[in-house]
Amino acid sequence: DAGLVPGFPDNNSYTQDWTAYIKSLDKDVSMQNVIGYIPGNNPEMAGESVVIAAHYDHLGFGWPDARKGNEGKLHAGADDNASGVAVMLELARLAAKNWKPERAIVFVAFTGEESGLIGSKHYVKNYTRYAADKVFGMVNLDTVGRLGDAPITAFGTGSAREWVHIFRGVGFVTGVPIKSVANDFGSSDQKSFLDIGVPAVQFFGTVHQDFHSPADSIDKVDSAGLIKVAMALKETVEYLAARPEPMTVTLAARTEAAPAKREQAPAGRRVSMGTVPDFAYNGPGVLVSDVVTDSPAEKAGLKAGDLITHMADIEIKNLQGFAQQLRTMNPGDKVKIGFKREKASHDVVVTLSHR
């Protein structure tokens, strides 16, 4: 309890409870989002909200996305995504004491992000106190725990024309640089809002090899970086909650949230190549920021800074296309990778391993 109004004040509850069918488990599972809000104070903005979110689920002992060899091992998820929850809760704690925003600010800890955005999909379809079709803007905090000296990356700034200008101003005021990525909307909970026409972004820290592994532990979290993220978030939310004009949304027209459906976890890919992509690179191709030690990519000679342009003679336009190709492949497959290194084109054959 951060001092917020419970998301369901009629029964003084902070939880949104429902049951979702999980195909890979072949059973219904009890799910729970945690929601609190600060009411808006401007009658002209009644019903409107700014949503601040982070997902609190992770992989537990390896479900649904453990790498081969890590099954049954505890995945603490300190960066992904305890870091996002920590920043959200700290802002909620401070804001609930004395903020009187013009439009409501809703804080949501989503469940089921790792299983196909189950929690955020349920929220946009079913939360009625501040309905999804009146969400002014959404900021999702996912994997912000290892910022270091890097700028905060904001995915999805192409969802509204104002985002890049907002973050330029936030960076100026706070001294925390924010790198706007317009064309990559990310795949975390902001996608559930983008899909119904709400301008939404994800704050992200840096890429590392511990992603979705037991090595994502608290001792590696950059506490000073979390403070930077919190500062940037505070300025962003204050602006969104008070902005009188609507955002200039560049997405498809808003639609009413669809009736609730039985959710299920999507099938993941089965293979690993061992490249760590630069998520802020917009393409064409996939820029390699690091290569996992003793991985198929390292054994084939790929290095940080290489730009992957083709896979099995198919042009790779962006990270989404790269991931889609990997989903069609099996462990042990040998695949030709075309890449550029220092402007020269090269080909290598990579033998894919289990993910």
Side-chain angles (χ1 to χ4, degrees):
D1 181 353
L4 307 177
V5 176
F8 302 88
D10 294 342
N11 59 2
N12 200 39
S13 174
Y14 286 92
T15 64
Q16 180 182 39
D17 302 280
W18 76 102
T19 299
Y21 174 72
I22 305 299
K23 185 178 181 179
S24 60
L25 299 176
D26 192 26
K27 64 179 182 180
D28 289 334
V29 176
S30 297
M31 311 294 291
Q32 187 177 83
N33 289 330
V34 183
I35 307 171
Y37 67 91
I38 303 174
N41 288 274
N42 187 337
E44 295 182 3
M45 298 177 181
E48 297 182 14
S49 66
V50 176
V51 174
I52 311 304
H55 73 89
Y56 71 88
D57 66 299
H58 193 51
L59 305 187
F61 287 94
W63 187 88
D65 194 33
R67 300 177 189 171
K68 186 174 177 60
N70 288 336
E71 301 91 341
K73 297 179 181 178
L74 177 62
H75 293 62
D79 186 20
D80 177 21
N81 186 32
S83 65
V85 173
V87 172
M88 181 187 70
L89 287 178
E90 181 62 10
L91 179 62
R93 184 182 69 83
L94 295 173
K97 292 180 179 179
N98 50 29
W99 279 20
K100 296 188 181 300
E102 295 197 55
R103 58 174 56 88
I105 303 172
V106 181
F107 296 86
V108 190
F110 288 125
T111 188
E113 190 270 352
E114 303 286 6
S115 308
L117 314 183
I118 295 175
S120 54
K121 287 178 180 178
H122 186 82
Y123 178 94
V124 301
K125 294 173 184 176
N126 296 282
Y127 190 58
T128 57
R129 178 157 294 278
Y130 290 102
D133 62 346
K134 286 192 173 183
V135 173
F136 184 82
M138 185 265 196
V139 181
N140 184 34
L141 303 159
D142 194 346
T143 315
V144 295
R146 299 200 195 178
L147 189 63
D149 295 327
I152 297 169
T153 297
F155 291 116
T157 55
S159 60
R161 293 177 184 172
E162 288 79 11
W163 283 124
V164 63
H165 305 295
I166 292 170
F167 292 137
R168 187 179 295 120
V170 168
F172 178 79
V173 171
T174 64
V176 179
I178 301 176
K179 182 175 182 178
S180 293
V181 179
N183 297 324
D184 188 340
F185 291 86
S187 57
S188 186
D189 287 310
Q190 71 276 2
K191 186 177 185 302
S192 299
F193 291 79
L194 293 165
D195 285 347
I196 63 167
V198 173
V201 295
Q202 175 192 345
F203 276 10
F204 178 81
T206 57
V207 179
H208 52 77
Q209 296 185 11
D210 297 336
F211 179 73
H212 279 199
S213 84
D216 183 6
S217 52
I218 192 171
D219 56 297
K220 299 174 183 176
V221 170
D222 170 25
S223 57
L226 292 181
I227 294 172
K228 293 179 184 179
V229 175
M231 290 168 58
L233 179 65
K234 176 179 178 292
E235 290 296 325
T236 301
V237 175
E238 285 183 333
Y239 176 83
L240 294 176
R243 177 184 166 92
E245 304 87 7
M247 302 271 271
T248 310
V249 182
T250 57
L251 302 164
R254 291 180 183 233
T255 58
E256 292 186 6
K261 297 180 181 179
R262 300 182 90 194
E263 305 288 359
Q264 63 184 46
R269 59 183 173 90
R270 300 176 295 275
V271 301
S272 173
M273 198 166 86
T275 52
V276 180
D278 181 346
F279 288 100
Y281 179 74
N282 288 325
V286 172
L287 183 63
V288 178
S289 67
D290 201 359
V291 175
V292 176
T293 302
D294 201 34
S295 67
E298 185 185 61
K299 293 175 181 176
L302 290 170
K303 299 179 179 179
D306 289 344
L307 180 65
I308 296 173
T309 58
H310 291 80
M311 176 181 288
D313 294 323
I314 297 173
E315 183 181 2
I316 300 299
K317 295 181 179 180
N318 50 38
L319 185 57
Q320 288 78 11
F322 181 70
Q324 288 172 3
Q325 288 300 313
L326 285 176
R327 289 192 188 99
T328 68
M329 299 177 180
N330 296 302
D333 285 354
K334 297 181 185 293
V335 57
K336 185 171 73 171
I337 301 296
F339 68 97
K340 291 184 178 180
R341 180 181 294 165
E342 297 178 354
K343 299 183 179 180
S345 296
H346 304 272
D347 291 316
V348 293
V349 174
V350 176
T351 302
L352 301 175
S353 65
H354 285 275
R355 189 161 191 255

